[in-house]
Amino acid sequence: MDDSYQDAWRAARDFRAALVIGHPGHELLIHKWLEVARPMVFVLTDGSGRANQSRLASTTKILNQTGARCGNIYGRFTDTAAYAAMLNDDSQLFIELARELCEAFITEQIECVAGDAFEGYNPMHDVCRLVINAAVTAARRQTGNRIACFEFSSQPGCRNQLPQENATRHRLDDSAFARKIAAAKGYTELAGEVQTAVQQTPADQLRVECLWPVDPGAVVYRCNEPFYEQYGEQQVAAGYYDQVLRYRKHIAPLAAALKHYAENGNV
């Protein structure tokens, strides 16, 4: 892989870009990249969560401010519907998402894709990464074109388990940092999370945006004790949900189905 594909910001400047995220609001984590790339943005869920309150309006406002544009998949599912599909082993739903993304990448001549990382923190983030990898791999297979692929952490300040030596980092100047913080504080539905992040994360970490190059056709993800299983157990005990979403039972089979689609073009 040459340097132009290793460097997320060079790729953003030079190539037609797409951003694919599991939940609206993740675009805040790479706000400067959003300004530079002005990508087509695909959002798998509406971010409504248990409160059933969509976050799409706030994300749309940020996209309009940065010059990015909405893709044809934009808040396609409620969180409740997405999690039900995972629990019910509805791999076909996510394969169709990957297929639709693949077609959009080809039609829009996308050359650079950024999106959620697989971290074992939130199952929707992980499934989003699996869908991205399948779509990019399928698009490469169908066209023979190289598509640069990057992932970023859902944790502020790059506090994650991704390999630090491979990250491409961009430190925001005062103006870019001010715009990012203003956008975050204006995101009403995430007010509590933004306040916690600003209070608990050093400003020097919030100033740095990190993306990691991914080989979507070769990477293999394994997750022994994901955080979302522990959290799910607490939610079930509290009576919010009926069952816990498990990596081995629910996510691993979905990963296998998406990989099969990506490599073979069928289910």
Side-chain angles (χ1 to χ4, degrees):
M1 185 183 295
D2 62 45
D3 290 341
S4 64
Y5 288 106
Q6 288 280 9
D7 189 314
W9 273 267
R10 181 175 175 185
R13 291 193 303 268
D14 296 344
F15 305 135
R16 293 172 64 89
L19 172 66
V20 186
I21 50 181
H23 291 128
H26 291 187
E27 71 281 353
L28 289 167
L29 296 162
I30 51 169
H31 189 267
K32 178 59 179 179
W33 186 89
L34 200 69
E35 293 180 326
V36 173
R38 297 189 173 188
M40 176 168 281
V41 179
F42 302 86
V43 188
L44 304 191
T45 73
D46 65 358
S48 54
R50 201 171 64 240
N52 198 31
Q53 180 182 12
S54 172
R55 304 197 311 234
L56 285 173
S58 291
T59 284
T60 301
K61 179 181 177 181
I62 290 172
L63 301 191
N64 290 338
Q65 291 171 342
T66 58
R69 54 199 174 113
C70 302
N72 58 319
I73 299 173
Y74 197 74
R76 176 69 56 86
F77 307 106
T78 63
D79 284 321
T80 299
Y83 285 107
M86 295 180 215
L87 287 167
N88 294 329
D89 193 26
D90 188 359
S91 59
Q92 188 60 41
L93 180 146
F94 295 102
I95 288 171
E96 290 304 319
L97 271 181
R99 196 191 310 276
E100 194 171 341
L101 267 181
C102 170
E103 292 173 356
F105 293 164
I106 294 172
T107 300
E108 296 294 329
Q109 300 180 318
I110 297 299
E111 301 165 288
C112 171
V113 179
D116 292 339
F118 191 107
E119 300 180 283
Y121 177 74
N122 182 296
M124 193 63 233
H125 304 178
D126 290 1
V127 168
C128 181
R129 170 47 51 186
L130 296 173
V131 169
I132 294 169
N133 286 356
V136 171
T137 300
R140 288 178 174 181
R141 176 175 51 78
Q142 292 181 36
T143 65
N145 296 333
R146 186 75 171 88
I147 299 178
C149 195
F150 300 93
E151 61 185 1
F152 61 89
S153 173
S154 63
Q155 306 306 297
C158 306
R159 295 177 298 181
N160 54 70
Q161 302 302 314
L162 298 175
Q164 296 297 307
E165 66 274 10
N166 293 330
T168 60
R169 296 174 172 82
H170 187 88
R171 181 177 176 79
L172 278 58
D173 61 24
D174 290 344
S175 179
F177 185 57
R179 291 193 301 275
K180 180 174 185 173
I181 294 299
K185 290 184 175 180
Y187 206 114
T188 307
E189 300 87 347
L190 292 176
E193 294 179 40
V194 168
Q195 182 178 10
T196 298
V198 171
Q199 290 177 345
Q200 297 183 357
T201 308
D204 281 347
Q205 289 187 22
L206 292 176
R207 277 182 180 268
V208 178
E209 295 182 357
C210 304
L211 291 100
W212 285 258
V214 179
D215 184 346
V219 66
V220 176
Y221 298 111
R222 293 185 177 87
C223 204
N224 294 324
E225 296 181 359
F227 169 79
Y228 59 77
E229 288 192 9
Q230 304 169 37
Y231 181 73
E233 290 168 357
Q234 296 172 5
Q235 298 297 92
V236 168
Y240 294 125
Y241 300 115
D242 295 327
Q243 59 179 312
V244 179
L245 198 151
R246 304 284 184 186
Y247 169 74
R248 292 185 182 276
K249 182 178 181 180
H250 304 109
I251 305 302
L254 174 57
L258 283 165
K259 184 175 179 62
H260 186 270
Y261 153 72
E263 294 177 348
N264 300 281
N266 50 50
V267 181

mmCIF file of all heavy atoms in Angstrom, residues 19-24 41-47 56 73-79 81-82 86 93-94 97-98 101 116 123-132:
data_model
loop_
_atom_site.group_PDB
_atom_site.id
_atom_site.type_symbol
_atom_site.label_atom_id
_atom_site.label_comp_id
_atom_site.label_asym_id
_atom_site.label_seq_id
_atom_site.Cartn_x
_atom_site.Cartn_y
_atom_site.Cartn_z
ATOM 1 N N LEU A 19 -18.090 8.470 4.222
ATOM 2 C CA LEU A 19 -18.060 8.190 5.654
ATOM 3 C C LEU A 19 -19.240 7.279 5.962
ATOM 4 O O LEU A 19 -20.371 7.570 5.562
ATOM 5 C CB LEU A 19 -18.174 9.487 6.461
ATOM 6 C CG LEU A 19 -18.336 9.331 7.984
ATOM 7 C CD1 LEU A 19 -17.073 8.729 8.595
ATOM 8 C CD2 LEU A 19 -18.659 10.676 8.633
ATOM 9 N N VAL A 20 -18.981 6.169 6.669
ATOM 10 C CA VAL A 20 -20.041 5.233 7.034
ATOM 11 C C VAL A 20 -19.997 5.037 8.547
ATOM 12 O O VAL A 20 -18.975 4.599 9.091
ATOM 13 C CB VAL A 20 -19.879 3.873 6.328
ATOM 14 C CG1 VAL A 20 -21.091 2.982 6.641
ATOM 15 C CG2 VAL A 20 -19.731 4.048 4.822
ATOM 16 N N ILE A 21 -21.098 5.374 9.227
ATOM 17 C CA ILE A 21 -21.125 5.294 10.690
ATOM 18 C C ILE A 21 -22.383 4.562 11.154
ATOM 19 O O ILE A 21 -23.425 4.607 10.505
ATOM 20 C CB ILE A 21 -21.054 6.689 11.338
ATOM 21 C CG1 ILE A 21 -22.078 7.645 10.729
ATOM 22 C CG2 ILE A 21 -19.648 7.259 11.201
ATOM 23 C CD1 ILE A 21 -22.058 9.061 11.307
ATOM 24 N N GLY A 22 -22.262 3.899 12.286
ATOM 25 C CA GLY A 22 -23.385 3.151 12.822
ATOM 26 C C GLY A 22 -24.436 4.040 13.449
ATOM 27 O O GLY A 22 -25.637 3.758 13.374
ATOM 28 N N HIS A 23 -23.997 5.121 14.091
ATOM 29 C CA HIS A 23 -24.907 6.034 14.785
ATOM 30 C C HIS A 23 -24.628 7.480 14.381
ATOM 31 O O HIS A 23 -23.457 7.868 14.234
ATOM 32 C CB HIS A 23 -24.725 5.933 16.307
ATOM 33 C CG HIS A 23 -25.183 4.647 16.892
ATOM 34 N ND1 HIS A 23 -24.385 3.874 17.706
ATOM 35 C CD2 HIS A 23 -26.366 3.989 16.799
ATOM 36 C CE1 HIS A 23 -25.058 2.800 18.089
ATOM 37 N NE2 HIS A 23 -26.252 2.852 17.556
ATOM 38 N N PRO A 24 -25.653 8.301 14.223
ATOM 39 C CA PRO A 24 -25.420 9.730 14.021
ATOM 40 C C PRO A 24 -24.714 10.316 15.237
ATOM 41 O O PRO A 24 -24.979 9.934 16.374
ATOM 42 C CB PRO A 24 -26.834 10.301 13.856
ATOM 43 C CG PRO A 24 -27.755 9.279 14.441
ATOM 44 C CD PRO A 24 -27.091 7.958 14.262
ATOM 45 N N VAL A 41 -22.042 10.806 3.210
ATOM 46 C CA VAL A 41 -22.160 10.215 4.541
ATOM 47 C C VAL A 41 -23.331 9.237 4.595
ATOM 48 O O VAL A 41 -24.470 9.579 4.232
ATOM 49 C CB VAL A 41 -22.340 11.314 5.610
ATOM 50 C CG1 VAL A 41 -22.488 10.689 6.998
ATOM 51 C CG2 VAL A 41 -21.157 12.276 5.575
ATOM 52 N N PHE A 42 -23.026 8.035 5.061
ATOM 53 C CA PHE A 42 -24.024 6.986 5.233
ATOM 54 C C PHE A 42 -24.150 6.692 6.733
ATOM 55 O O PHE A 42 -23.138 6.463 7.399
ATOM 56 C CB PHE A 42 -23.611 5.721 4.498
ATOM 57 C CG PHE A 42 -23.383 5.921 3.018
ATOM 58 C CD1 PHE A 42 -22.148 6.341 2.540
ATOM 59 C CD2 PHE A 42 -24.408 5.694 2.110
ATOM 60 C CE1 PHE A 42 -21.927 6.527 1.179
ATOM 61 C CE2 PHE A 42 -24.202 5.883 0.750
ATOM 62 C CZ PHE A 42 -22.963 6.300 0.276
ATOM 63 N N VAL A 43 -25.373 6.700 7.248
ATOM 64 C CA VAL A 43 -25.621 6.449 8.672
ATOM 65 C C VAL A 43 -26.595 5.277 8.774
ATOM 66 O O VAL A 43 -27.716 5.356 8.260
ATOM 67 C CB VAL A 43 -26.208 7.691 9.374
ATOM 68 C CG1 VAL A 43 -26.264 7.465 10.877
ATOM 69 C CG2 VAL A 43 -25.376 8.936 9.060
ATOM 70 N N LEU A 44 -26.185 4.208 9.435
ATOM 71 C CA LEU A 44 -27.000 2.995 9.432
ATOM 72 C C LEU A 44 -28.242 3.102 10.305
ATOM 73 O O LEU A 44 -29.295 2.575 9.962
ATOM 74 C CB LEU A 44 -26.155 1.798 9.874
ATOM 75 C CG LEU A 44 -24.877 1.529 9.054
ATOM 76 C CD1 LEU A 44 -24.300 0.176 9.426
ATOM 77 C CD2 LEU A 44 -25.135 1.622 7.560
ATOM 78 N N THR A 45 -28.153 3.767 11.466
ATOM 79 C CA THR A 45 -29.310 3.889 12.359
ATOM 80 C C THR A 45 -29.626 5.357 12.611
ATOM 81 O O THR A 45 -28.847 6.253 12.254
ATOM 82 C CB THR A 45 -29.055 3.205 13.722
ATOM 83 O OG1 THR A 45 -28.141 4.008 14.487
ATOM 84 C CG2 THR A 45 -28.474 1.807 13.537
ATOM 85 N N ASP A 46 -30.757 5.593 13.263
ATOM 86 C CA ASP A 46 -31.136 6.978 13.585
ATOM 87 C C ASP A 46 -30.632 7.408 14.956
ATOM 88 O O ASP A 46 -30.854 8.542 15.375
ATOM 89 C CB ASP A 46 -32.647 7.174 13.480
ATOM 90 C CG ASP A 46 -33.441 6.367 14.502
ATOM 91 O OD1 ASP A 46 -32.825 5.614 15.291
ATOM 92 O OD2 ASP A 46 -34.685 6.480 14.509
ATOM 93 N N GLY A 47 -29.964 6.490 15.691
ATOM 94 C CA GLY A 47 -29.428 6.836 17.000
ATOM 95 C C GLY A 47 -30.487 7.046 18.061
ATOM 96 O O GLY A 47 -30.214 7.657 19.101
ATOM 97 N N LEU A 56 -30.773 12.346 13.966
ATOM 98 C CA LEU A 56 -30.397 12.661 12.588
ATOM 99 C C LEU A 56 -30.383 14.162 12.287
ATOM 100 O O LEU A 56 -29.540 14.631 11.512
ATOM 101 C CB LEU A 56 -31.337 11.957 11.618
ATOM 102 C CG LEU A 56 -31.114 10.451 11.452
ATOM 103 C CD1 LEU A 56 -32.223 9.858 10.605
ATOM 104 C CD2 LEU A 56 -29.747 10.173 10.837
ATOM 105 N N ILE A 73 -28.314 5.737 2.298
ATOM 106 C CA ILE A 73 -28.584 5.062 3.568
ATOM 107 C C ILE A 73 -28.342 6.098 4.663
ATOM 108 O O ILE A 73 -27.208 6.497 4.916
ATOM 109 C CB ILE A 73 -27.655 3.851 3.776
ATOM 110 C CG1 ILE A 73 -27.875 2.814 2.668
ATOM 111 C CG2 ILE A 73 -27.882 3.220 5.143
ATOM 112 C CD1 ILE A 73 -26.878 1.669 2.701
ATOM 113 N N TYR A 74 -29.413 6.548 5.280
ATOM 114 C CA TYR A 74 -29.284 7.656 6.238
ATOM 115 C C TYR A 74 -30.326 7.476 7.335
ATOM 116 O O TYR A 74 -31.486 7.842 7.173
ATOM 117 C CB TYR A 74 -29.481 8.989 5.510
ATOM 118 C CG TYR A 74 -28.982 10.189 6.285
ATOM 119 C CD1 TYR A 74 -27.612 10.441 6.412
ATOM 120 C CD2 TYR A 74 -29.867 11.074 6.889
ATOM 121 C CE1 TYR A 74 -27.149 11.538 7.121
ATOM 122 C CE2 TYR A 74 -29.416 12.178 7.594
ATOM 123 C CZ TYR A 74 -28.052 12.405 7.707
ATOM 124 O OH TYR A 74 -27.598 13.500 8.414
ATOM 125 N N GLY A 75 -29.898 6.844 8.429
ATOM 126 C CA GLY A 75 -30.839 6.543 9.498
ATOM 127 C C GLY A 75 -31.832 5.474 9.073
ATOM 128 O O GLY A 75 -33.020 5.555 9.395
ATOM 129 N N ARG A 76 -31.341 4.463 8.381
ATOM 130 C CA ARG A 76 -32.215 3.441 7.803
ATOM 131 C C ARG A 76 -33.037 2.704 8.863
ATOM 132 O O ARG A 76 -34.199 2.366 8.643
ATOM 133 C CB ARG A 76 -31.360 2.458 7.013
ATOM 134 C CG ARG A 76 -32.093 1.257 6.405
ATOM 135 C CD ARG A 76 -33.015 1.669 5.284
ATOM 136 N NE ARG A 76 -32.343 2.396 4.230
ATOM 137 C CZ ARG A 76 -31.713 1.810 3.197
ATOM 138 N NH1 ARG A 76 -31.658 0.496 3.108
ATOM 139 N NH2 ARG A 76 -31.137 2.548 2.250
ATOM 140 N N PHE A 77 -32.428 2.428 10.012
ATOM 141 C CA PHE A 77 -33.111 1.653 11.048
ATOM 142 C C PHE A 77 -33.108 2.397 12.386
ATOM 143 O O PHE A 77 -32.199 3.167 12.664
ATOM 144 C CB PHE A 77 -32.421 0.297 11.251
ATOM 145 C CG PHE A 77 -32.250 -0.484 9.994
ATOM 146 C CD1 PHE A 77 -31.002 -0.603 9.407
ATOM 147 C CD2 PHE A 77 -33.330 -1.098 9.385
ATOM 148 C CE1 PHE A 77 -30.832 -1.320 8.234
ATOM 149 C CE2 PHE A 77 -33.166 -1.822 8.214
ATOM 150 C CZ PHE A 77 -31.925 -1.929 7.633
ATOM 151 N N THR A 78 -34.105 2.115 13.192
ATOM 152 C CA THR A 78 -34.016 2.523 14.582
ATOM 153 C C THR A 78 -33.000 1.600 15.262
ATOM 154 O O THR A 78 -32.703 0.499 14.765
ATOM 155 C CB THR A 78 -35.364 2.383 15.302
ATOM 156 O OG1 THR A 78 -35.747 0.992 15.316
ATOM 157 C CG2 THR A 78 -36.441 3.206 14.617
ATOM 158 N N ASP A 79 -32.482 2.028 16.389
ATOM 159 C CA ASP A 79 -31.570 1.157 17.133
ATOM 160 C C ASP A 79 -32.275 -0.137 17.539
ATOM 161 O O ASP A 79 -31.695 -1.223 17.488
ATOM 162 C CB ASP A 79 -31.040 1.873 18.381
ATOM 163 C CG ASP A 79 -29.973 2.895 18.047
ATOM 164 O OD1 ASP A 79 -29.159 2.623 17.171
ATOM 165 O OD2 ASP A 79 -29.978 3.969 18.678
ATOM 166 N N ALA A 81 -34.668 -1.743 16.002
ATOM 167 C CA ALA A 81 -34.782 -2.649 14.855
ATOM 168 C C ALA A 81 -33.438 -3.284 14.516
ATOM 169 O O ALA A 81 -33.370 -4.477 14.180
ATOM 170 C CB ALA A 81 -35.335 -1.897 13.651
ATOM 171 N N ALA A 82 -32.369 -2.501 14.588
ATOM 172 C CA ALA A 82 -31.041 -3.022 14.275
ATOM 173 C C ALA A 82 -30.618 -4.100 15.266
ATOM 174 O O ALA A 82 -30.103 -5.161 14.877
ATOM 175 C CB ALA A 82 -30.021 -1.882 14.261
ATOM 176 N N MET A 86 -29.868 -8.254 14.810
ATOM 177 C CA MET A 86 -28.685 -8.971 15.297
ATOM 178 C C MET A 86 -29.094 -10.164 16.151
ATOM 179 O O MET A 86 -28.581 -11.276 15.980
ATOM 180 C CB MET A 86 -27.791 -8.029 16.115
ATOM 181 C CG MET A 86 -27.165 -6.890 15.354
ATOM 182 S SD MET A 86 -26.130 -5.883 16.469
ATOM 183 C CE MET A 86 -26.398 -4.256 15.786
ATOM 184 N N LEU A 93 -30.373 -8.907 6.219
ATOM 185 C CA LEU A 93 -30.579 -7.461 6.310
ATOM 186 C C LEU A 93 -29.258 -6.727 6.187
ATOM 187 O O LEU A 93 -29.158 -5.712 5.464
ATOM 188 C CB LEU A 93 -31.264 -7.127 7.642
ATOM 189 C CG LEU A 93 -31.571 -5.652 7.920
ATOM 190 C CD1 LEU A 93 -32.872 -5.514 8.705
ATOM 191 C CD2 LEU A 93 -30.435 -4.988 8.701
ATOM 192 N N PHE A 94 -28.215 -7.219 6.853
ATOM 193 C CA PHE A 94 -26.924 -6.534 6.829
ATOM 194 C C PHE A 94 -26.175 -6.798 5.523
ATOM 195 O O PHE A 94 -25.421 -5.938 5.053
ATOM 196 C CB PHE A 94 -26.103 -6.948 8.046
ATOM 197 C CG PHE A 94 -26.723 -6.514 9.349
ATOM 198 C CD1 PHE A 94 -27.413 -7.417 10.148
ATOM 199 C CD2 PHE A 94 -26.671 -5.184 9.733
ATOM 200 C CE1 PHE A 94 -28.013 -7.017 11.321
ATOM 201 C CE2 PHE A 94 -27.274 -4.766 10.921
ATOM 202 C CZ PHE A 94 -27.948 -5.683 11.715
ATOM 203 N N LEU A 97 -27.531 -4.283 3.218
ATOM 204 C CA LEU A 97 -26.894 -2.989 3.489
ATOM 205 C C LEU A 97 -25.537 -2.906 2.808
ATOM 206 O O LEU A 97 -25.199 -1.895 2.176
ATOM 207 C CB LEU A 97 -26.713 -2.800 4.998
ATOM 208 C CG LEU A 97 -27.824 -2.155 5.816
ATOM 209 C CD1 LEU A 97 -27.394 -2.058 7.266
ATOM 210 C CD2 LEU A 97 -28.174 -0.771 5.276
ATOM 211 N N ALA A 98 -24.731 -3.960 2.955
ATOM 212 C CA ALA A 98 -23.407 -3.989 2.333
ATOM 213 C C ALA A 98 -23.531 -3.921 0.817
ATOM 214 O O ALA A 98 -22.749 -3.218 0.150
ATOM 215 C CB ALA A 98 -22.659 -5.253 2.752
ATOM 216 N N LEU A 101 -24.424 -0.366 -0.134
ATOM 217 C CA LEU A 101 -23.239 0.483 0.020
ATOM 218 C C LEU A 101 -22.262 0.263 -1.123
ATOM 219 O O LEU A 101 -21.706 1.218 -1.679
ATOM 220 C CB LEU A 101 -22.543 0.175 1.346
ATOM 221 C CG LEU A 101 -22.904 0.992 2.580
ATOM 222 C CD1 LEU A 101 -22.072 0.524 3.760
ATOM 223 C CD2 LEU A 101 -22.700 2.491 2.340
ATOM 224 N N ASP A 116 -16.581 3.573 11.426
ATOM 225 C CA ASP A 116 -16.420 3.050 12.784
ATOM 226 C C ASP A 116 -15.408 1.907 12.836
ATOM 227 O O ASP A 116 -15.282 1.126 11.890
ATOM 228 C CB ASP A 116 -17.753 2.539 13.318
ATOM 229 C CG ASP A 116 -18.761 3.645 13.554
ATOM 230 O OD1 ASP A 116 -18.348 4.805 13.696
ATOM 231 O OD2 ASP A 116 -19.968 3.340 13.603
ATOM 232 N N PRO A 123 -22.067 -3.037 19.897
ATOM 233 C CA PRO A 123 -22.244 -3.980 18.790
ATOM 234 C C PRO A 123 -22.592 -3.316 17.468
ATOM 235 O O PRO A 123 -22.185 -3.799 16.405
ATOM 236 C CB PRO A 123 -23.382 -4.894 19.273
ATOM 237 C CG PRO A 123 -24.088 -4.105 20.332
ATOM 238 C CD PRO A 123 -23.033 -3.281 20.988
ATOM 239 N N MET A 124 -23.308 -2.192 17.502
ATOM 240 C CA MET A 124 -23.659 -1.525 16.254
ATOM 241 C C MET A 124 -22.424 -0.937 15.585
ATOM 242 O O MET A 124 -22.321 -0.929 14.357
ATOM 243 C CB MET A 124 -24.701 -0.420 16.511
ATOM 244 C CG MET A 124 -25.345 0.109 15.232
ATOM 245 S SD MET A 124 -26.270 -1.165 14.355
ATOM 246 C CE MET A 124 -25.561 -1.052 12.713
ATOM 247 N N HIS A 125 -21.482 -0.448 16.387
ATOM 248 C CA HIS A 125 -20.233 0.061 15.821
ATOM 249 C C HIS A 125 -19.485 -1.080 15.129
ATOM 250 O O HIS A 125 -18.957 -0.917 14.024
ATOM 251 C CB HIS A 125 -19.334 0.647 16.910
ATOM 252 C CG HIS A 125 -19.973 1.724 17.729
ATOM 253 N ND1 HIS A 125 -19.337 2.338 18.783
ATOM 254 C CD2 HIS A 125 -21.198 2.309 17.647
ATOM 255 C CE1 HIS A 125 -20.137 3.245 19.315
ATOM 256 N NE2 HIS A 125 -21.262 3.241 18.652
ATOM 257 N N ASP A 126 -19.431 -2.228 15.798
ATOM 258 C CA ASP A 126 -18.703 -3.371 15.248
ATOM 259 C C ASP A 126 -19.362 -3.884 13.974
ATOM 260 O O ASP A 126 -18.691 -4.185 12.988
ATOM 261 C CB ASP A 126 -18.620 -4.497 16.285
ATOM 262 C CG ASP A 126 -17.699 -4.159 17.447
ATOM 263 O OD1 ASP A 126 -17.131 -3.048 17.458
ATOM 264 O OD2 ASP A 126 -17.539 -5.000 18.342
ATOM 265 N N VAL A 127 -20.688 -3.965 13.988
ATOM 266 C CA VAL A 127 -21.395 -4.431 12.797
ATOM 267 C C VAL A 127 -21.234 -3.434 11.653
ATOM 268 O O VAL A 127 -21.102 -3.826 10.484
ATOM 269 C CB VAL A 127 -22.886 -4.672 13.114
ATOM 270 C CG1 VAL A 127 -23.697 -4.874 11.841
ATOM 271 C CG2 VAL A 127 -23.026 -5.888 14.025
ATOM 272 N N CYS A 128 -21.210 -2.158 11.971
ATOM 273 C CA CYS A 128 -20.968 -1.147 10.943
ATOM 274 C C CYS A 128 -19.625 -1.392 10.262
ATOM 275 O O CYS A 128 -19.516 -1.352 9.028
ATOM 276 C CB CYS A 128 -21.008 0.252 11.561
ATOM 277 S SG CYS A 128 -20.735 1.583 10.375
ATOM 278 N N ARG A 129 -18.591 -1.696 11.046
ATOM 279 C CA ARG A 129 -17.276 -1.983 10.469
ATOM 280 C C ARG A 129 -17.324 -3.227 9.588
ATOM 281 O O ARG A 129 -16.737 -3.249 8.502
ATOM 282 C CB ARG A 129 -16.246 -2.136 11.589
ATOM 283 C CG ARG A 129 -14.886 -2.673 11.184
ATOM 284 C CD ARG A 129 -14.276 -2.024 9.963
ATOM 285 N NE ARG A 129 -14.243 -0.567 10.013
ATOM 286 C CZ ARG A 129 -13.851 0.190 8.982
ATOM 287 N NH1 ARG A 129 -13.483 -0.368 7.840
ATOM 288 N NH2 ARG A 129 -13.860 1.501 9.096
ATOM 289 N N LEU A 130 -18.038 -4.257 10.022
ATOM 290 C CA LEU A 130 -18.158 -5.472 9.217
ATOM 291 C C LEU A 130 -18.865 -5.186 7.894
ATOM 292 O O LEU A 130 -18.475 -5.711 6.841
ATOM 293 C CB LEU A 130 -18.917 -6.538 10.007
ATOM 294 C CG LEU A 130 -18.246 -7.045 11.290
ATOM 295 C CD1 LEU A 130 -19.192 -7.964 12.054
ATOM 296 C CD2 LEU A 130 -16.938 -7.758 10.983
ATOM 297 N N VAL A 131 -19.898 -4.344 7.937
ATOM 298 C CA VAL A 131 -20.631 -3.980 6.719
ATOM 299 C C VAL A 131 -19.732 -3.164 5.786
ATOM 300 O O VAL A 131 -19.717 -3.384 4.564
ATOM 301 C CB VAL A 131 -21.918 -3.200 7.078
ATOM 302 C CG1 VAL A 131 -22.541 -2.576 5.832
ATOM 303 C CG2 VAL A 131 -22.917 -4.116 7.764
ATOM 304 N N ILE A 132 -18.976 -2.226 6.355
ATOM 305 C CA ILE A 132 -18.044 -1.430 5.542
ATOM 306 C C ILE A 132 -17.043 -2.343 4.841
ATOM 307 O O ILE A 132 -16.808 -2.230 3.627
ATOM 308 C CB ILE A 132 -17.282 -0.409 6.409
ATOM 309 C CG1 ILE A 132 -18.222 0.640 6.984
ATOM 310 C CG2 ILE A 132 -16.177 0.279 5.592
ATOM 311 C CD1 ILE A 132 -17.584 1.517 8.055
#
